[in-house]
Amino acid sequence: MTTCNYDPASLPDLLPLYYRRLFPFSQYYRWLNYGGVTKNYFQNREFSFTLRDDIYVRYQSFSNQSELEKEMHKLNPYKIDIGAVYSHRPNQHSTVKSGTFQALEKELVFDIDMTDYDDVRSCCSAADICSKCWTLMTIAIRILDRALRVDFGFRHCLWVYSGRRGVHCWVCDDSARRLPVAARSAVCEYLSLVKGGEETVKKVQLSDPLHPFIKESLAVVEHYFTQYAVLGQDILGSREWGSSMGLNSVAQVRKDLLSYFQTEKNPVKRWERLKTLVNQRRSTSKKGVHAEKEIMLQYCYPRLDVNVSKGVNHLLKSPFSVHPKTGRISVPIDLRELDKFDPFEVPTVSLICEELDHSKREEDDEEAKENEKAAGERRRIRDYKRTSLAKYIKVFDNFLDGLERSRRGELLQKSDLQKDF
Amino acid sequence: MQFSRKRKVFSSAQVEYGHCLQLYGQPPLENITLAEFETFAVERLKLLKTVENLGVSFVKGSEDYQKKLSSEITNLNFPYKTEANDDRKQLTGPTEYEKRRKDHISHFILRLAYCQTEDLRRWFIQQEMDLFRHRFSDLPPKYKTEFLHRNDLQYDTISPDEKEGLMEKLVSSTYTVSGATVKEQDFYKVPFQDALDLVRLRKVFLRQGYAYIPHQDIVTIVLNDFRTRLSKALALTARSLPVVQSDERLQPLLSHLSHAYVGQDYSIQKNIGKVSLEQIDPLSAKSFPLCMRQLHRALREQHHLRHGGRMQYGLFLKGIGLTLDQALQFWRAEFVKGKVDADKFDKAYAYSIRHMFGKEGKRTDYTPYSCMKVILSNPPSQGDYQGCPFRHSDPELLKQKLQSYKVSQAGILQILELVKGMHYQLACQKYFELTHNIEDAGFSLNHPNQYFAESQRLLTGGKEVKREADAPPPRGGQSVRAPDALQDKPANPKQASAEITEDLDSLFQDD
Ligand code: SF4
Ligand SMILES: [Zn+2]
């Protein structure tokens, strides 16, 4: 594991190197500029930086890539957040007439954080994660990505590891970026199945008929459930299994299980039994017929931080920002390799700086010959390619290519339409 | 529209009202007297307030809701579906014609009064939409179709083949639809953004960004159209408002109208500085509503509250009279007992406390949350203690909690019954009555701070608290007073900045 050699105290030394040599500025700009189709789209975008000692600067904005670079080289932010595209340049927000400075657009974003699953994972709690509970994030991505693409028709969903204990999703389609608050919150509600706070035990309630979205989501959960929940978390092994699953409402099932569990210790068999009992009820009573599905969803269904998604002007940690506590880079996740994604393999800033350092010595002389900005850019590409960051930047590149292709398609369509008239 | 002091003069341009329901496309052209102007406006306002009240006490669209709303419409002489069945000849007859005219004119008068701020607009649109939904849904099918034709509302339908292919999905996406009825009715295909109410509730099939809406739910799309038109129209009206406002006869009337529905917002602190920090513990047991008692307890136990809880509880405390200094002291003392040290508190949390008191950022002075806001917006999720216990707790847990607060068994049953019927505020009021040993609270609860004020009034003999009557009074046996929709959200220009600063606070949350 690579975190062991990351020391938060070294951050002030590593960040300058990271931003100077490794941070993928050109891709970053290519992303947020969105082809330059809308005027001032990049210029009116809010960035905010967290500096040393939790000093927090909001409403930063930049005219172009090089201005952004310069500022980041100067400030070496501990954390970068991305906000909305505003009606005016955010860095001039205090000079515009009050009320006219407004957030206009932003990617539709989702934030899933492992702490929100504390009541249903026994392996870790709070900020800790392990490879066991990481399955929850895999499930979350599968379920949401499917729904965003198939149900809502979005095509450009960028999934990013937060650097510590969760994932973010940036839906970048034009139509998604333009969604008003009401639509964002409706999408969130559509996607939320687990409801209730500390005062609710049974957080999933299903009723007939099951919406296709729920069926699709269940299919995803089913794929992981036995391995992850029944065996991995041993959810039927804990003392309070009955009440924490909300089985109190189906007392008979609970009773039957209790006696069965006396002799049967095998978790998979226990779970099978529970399913059978619930299914048997189906013919006799309406109550609790979905109990086993509700349990599956309660334990595995993604838990969204709705507030982050609803607001157009809400900030979210940027891809390729460093997590100051773990040192890990917030990297895009390749969905084709999702099941293999391992958060503990994500490089830390100290690792990639070290990797760079190794390869650097050999060519210090070469470099001296090159100059100018273009050379700097070329060098940076060469630089990151030597580190374990490379494969994640590749994922990002692919994502950007996809965006570009759609944009070209749309432009073509538009010009075709114009010809028609 | 022209207004005259003289007797009513109809201009020759009489409007034809061909349908009992309208989209209010054309403003009225006739002259009307100031007296009629006022009556119309007040009566429509009454109707809209009823709409709002009913929406709080009943499930929208439920039988009770429909019955009560229908009878109010009839009482106030607004057009109602029954007359739509009348013989066509009667449509220009005095009664029905007068009603439709009143519907038309009164709507436009309130547009004038309610176009001025984002909040007023939002309130007005919401009530007009609920009213429209009710009236449209109640129309016989034939009149619905006629309404669509008359107003040129056309939506794309899907082909029988496509329907066949999606049959199973359409059936399971739409509650009351069976295979047979899917075959019979048209399905409309609209961008999901145009059917948010159905999307939100997952009551519609979605594919590739389109919602497939059965004819029976067409009201959703029509309503979306209605909303779009109305909000555009209000924006336009707002621009022409200066002219209207310069009319010294109308100005006071309009401003009165727009203030009429606002209840007490508890932002003006009459009691400021009258509560000491030591009193909070005993007060929380005696006079706090359950929502605040729960937050208080969680704070004492966890030495922390997440953003939503801090806002709900912090503003409540401000409302009962804590000063900024007291609030800072109170939160700091509790937080430092937990994982936050004083330095971190000052950096990360003090800002948001000052912000609640309007001392930071754009200096928006936040008002304490009303029950509506607590119940409807920002429901608690994992790790949260905010919200309304009557709405957001498991009934089983609520029962235990009430038991531990020594509420009688019979009382608990009554409360749970109200909760089951989704009358959360009434349940809370029942709890108030039971815990204060009175028969009838004598007020309709719509605000946690009101709960506190009423409780203190009873316990200390009514020295401190004044109540404001809000006009017009509820009718038709309504026991729940208009909730303060207005104060819930700051006006838009303000809102933008308020949201910004609020986010800032939540950024400092727990990552
Ligand atoms: S009804 Fe209102 S005052 Fe009572 S608990 Fe709920 S939110 Fe609080
Ligand atoms: Zn774990």
Side-chain angles (χ1 to χ4, degrees), chain A residues 121 123-124 129-130 132-133:
Chain A
R121 50 180 192 145
C123 50
C124 327
I129 58 165
C130 68
K132 262 192 201 169
C133 50

Short mmCIF file of all heavy atoms in Angstrom, two decimals, chain A residues 121 123-124 129-130 132-133, ligand 2:
data_model
loop_
_atom_site.label_atom_id
_atom_site.label_comp_id
_atom_site.label_asym_id
_atom_site.label_seq_id
_atom_site.Cartn_x
_atom_site.Cartn_y
_atom_site.Cartn_z
N ARG A 121 -22.55 -1.16 7.53
CA ARG A 121 -21.29 -1.89 7.31
C ARG A 121 -20.64 -2.17 8.66
O ARG A 121 -20.63 -1.32 9.54
CB ARG A 121 -20.35 -1.16 6.36
CG ARG A 121 -20.14 0.29 6.70
CD ARG A 121 -19.20 1.00 5.75
NE ARG A 121 -18.85 2.29 6.36
CZ ARG A 121 -17.69 2.88 6.26
NH1 ARG A 121 -16.73 2.33 5.54
NH2 ARG A 121 -17.47 4.03 6.86
N CYS A 123 -17.50 -3.65 8.82
CA CYS A 123 -16.04 -3.75 8.70
C CYS A 123 -15.32 -2.49 9.16
O CYS A 123 -14.28 -2.54 9.80
CB CYS A 123 -15.67 -4.08 7.27
SG CYS A 123 -16.44 -2.99 6.06
N CYS A 124 -15.88 -1.32 8.82
CA CYS A 124 -15.23 -0.06 9.21
C CYS A 124 -16.31 0.94 9.59
O CYS A 124 -17.50 0.69 9.42
CB CYS A 124 -14.48 0.59 8.06
SG CYS A 124 -13.73 -0.50 6.87
N ILE A 129 -12.21 3.09 5.13
CA ILE A 129 -12.76 2.19 4.14
C ILE A 129 -11.82 0.99 4.03
O ILE A 129 -10.66 1.05 4.44
CB ILE A 129 -12.88 2.83 2.74
CG1 ILE A 129 -11.53 3.33 2.25
CG2 ILE A 129 -13.89 3.95 2.75
CD1 ILE A 129 -11.50 3.63 0.76
N CYS A 130 -12.36 -0.11 3.50
CA CYS A 130 -11.49 -1.24 3.21
C CYS A 130 -11.97 -1.85 1.89
O CYS A 130 -12.97 -1.41 1.34
CB CYS A 130 -11.53 -2.27 4.33
SG CYS A 130 -13.10 -3.10 4.47
N LYS A 132 -13.39 -4.50 1.37
CA LYS A 132 -14.72 -5.10 1.53
C LYS A 132 -15.80 -4.09 1.22
O LYS A 132 -16.62 -4.28 0.35
CB LYS A 132 -14.89 -5.57 2.98
CG LYS A 132 -14.62 -7.04 3.19
CD LYS A 132 -15.12 -7.41 4.58
CE LYS A 132 -14.45 -8.68 5.05
NZ LYS A 132 -14.71 -8.91 6.47
N CYS A 133 -15.82 -3.00 2.01
CA CYS A 133 -16.94 -2.08 1.84
C CYS A 133 -16.83 -1.26 0.56
O CYS A 133 -17.80 -0.64 0.15
CB CYS A 133 -17.17 -1.21 3.07
SG CYS A 133 -15.74 -0.37 3.73
ZN ZN C 2 -14.74 -1.64 5.33
#
